[in-house]
Amino acid sequence: MADSVLHLMRTLNRGVAYLIGIMLLACAAFVLADIVLRQFGVSFGGTDEISGYVMAIATAWGMGFALLELSHVRIDLLRQRANPLGRSLFDIFAMIVMTAVVLIIAYQCWPVLERSITNSSTANTPLETPLVWVQGPWFAGWVWFAIVSTLTTLSALTLILQGRFAESEQAIGAFGEAEML
Amino acid sequence: MITYTAVGLLGLLALSIPVGIVLFLLGIGIDQFFSSFPLLRGLGSLVWSSSNSATLIAIPFFVLLGEILVRSGVAARTYAALDKWVSWLPGGLIHANVATATMFSAISGSSVATAATVATVAMPQAEKLGYDPKLFSGAIAAGGTLGIMIPPSINLIVYGFLTQTSIPQLFLAGLIPGLGLALAFVVITAIICALRPSLGGERRTFPLSAMMRALVQLVPILLLFAAIVGSIYKGWATPTEAAAVGVAGAFIIAFFFGRVDLAMVGQATLGTVKITSMIMLIVIGASFLNFTLASAGLGRELQDFLNGLGLSAVSTMLVIVLIYIVLGFFIETLSLMVVTIPIMVPLVIQLGYDPIWFGILMIVLVEMALITPPVGLNLYVVQAARTSGNLSEVMLGVIPYAFVLLLMAGALLVFPQIALFLPALLN
């Protein structure tokens, strides 16, 4: 059960990461086109604004992928001195705290979107982007991070209770500094 | 509040909670214990406003640029070309390590990427030509640290973003210290190898014609550097937009060497998303902590704290430098910068120092953190590229270079102009 949940999470997040990558590449191409066009006195306008939205959405949705790739930096000075049981206790504690904080973040992000929905807010820019269009996907990204974080914690907890420390370490451990790349 | 933050920071980090999450936790704690307003309600808007940023999109772009270049094969060519130019010095090929790292720093925004790139192409040569592994690998680890000093620099972008200082000015300020460090690395290598030739390797000279032909290999990197930095200072592009120019340039180089295919782009993309999200969790956490500290009255408390200490501005700066050196043993680069910015930068500004100058000083100290054990990323990156020998050899090899970095920190304290000269010229 725990294994299949983790496997599914990895597959889904890899797909999400590819989509973010495509979005970032498209954004780079768009910015580049604008720089070139400006030399000829024309401009799409609003590249800054759009880059900002892309960044906010890419960041929110990339968090879950980074989590499963064990990329969120942890200082494992004490952790690495512990035995396998101790290490998995460090890991599960860190994950529970992380999940709690991410749930708070996702919960606190909702009012931002809610306000934009009720006021039909538009950005204070020439594009007058309806904020719902960009804050919707952004909020969904943080909710996704909260879901990934919760399910990963529960799966790892199951593994630890079954005494499968090596597998739980694979799911939520910390990389040695050398493998960070 | 300062004590609470400092103790909480170190305690939570030691529990191996992710750095970004620790920053959020501290912010939430400040809201609970030190603020009469409910600051937590600001969390959502802060997460939105700090990630909805056209400035910060430079981070994924510069990371992507590095990911593509590493896979383009340009590093090996650059290394071979620089070998022909610098290997006549005492220390031979070691100078090519520093020179290649310097050139890659000029297009890469990250020190770890720079060290990894140079290590991959240089380490096999060391083993083939019988170099002493200590100084050879130390030079790569240290040379790699220049990645965050010589523009463009992801760390300077983050610093500029969090402290509201001008990123083009920070980039300019980093140029002279960065090149100065590269030169100092070359000089100290030459001195050490002249005194103890066994530490270096064979000095080789090449005919002028071979040297001239080698120059062609340097063209891709130089063009890319000119495109990135030129477009910023010509006013054609903001630092962010210049990063997009860099991505395009990196693609062109990789395409030229026949390395662009779907698998390569896919790998580069995944790496970019991973690293960007990792950085952004820390940056957003720091923005929130920044906000809570400022709202809860950090400024006044810092003033009291400074008056209480009764130290002169210079002594306080020395204490700050010492704190960074000590923390640098244990905390990884960007985390070290970001977790300390909310407290240190207001303090330094209160003392009457220039935030641009302090940004550069901080980079030098963080560069030291990159090569000081037990947590020194570049040491591990270089070690990972070696096929034999252990980590302690790399640690021994960086000692002279760490010493050079310390000297540069001292020089910046005594002569702030080293950093501030170029930005002043621009104004």
Side-chain angles (χ1 to χ4, degrees), chain B residues 236-251:
Chain B
W236 293 340
T238 63
T240 307
E241 294 170 341
V245 173
V247 171
F251 265 118

Side-chain angles (χ1 to χ4, degrees), chain A residues 95-164:
Chain A
M95 274 306 297
I96 290 172
V97 173
M98 175 156 188
T99 305
V101 170
V102 176
L103 284 169
I104 294 176
I105 297 174
Y107 179 75
Q108 293 291 342
C109 284
W110 167 244
V112 178
L113 176 62
E114 190 187 28
R115 237 182 346 260
S116 300
I117 295 174
T118 44
N119 301 345
S120 312
S121 321
T122 54
N124 186 15
T125 57
L127 291 185
E128 296 188 342
T129 315
L131 284 175
V132 180
W133 291 5
V134 284
Q135 283 176 345
W138 162 79
F139 172 70
W142 283 98
V143 171
W144 174 242
F145 184 27
I147 295 172
V148 172
S149 187
T150 309
L151 289 179
T152 308
T153 307
L154 292 176
S155 307
L157 193 60
T158 317
L159 291 175
I160 289 172
L161 291 177
Q162 292 170 348
R164 293 151 75 187

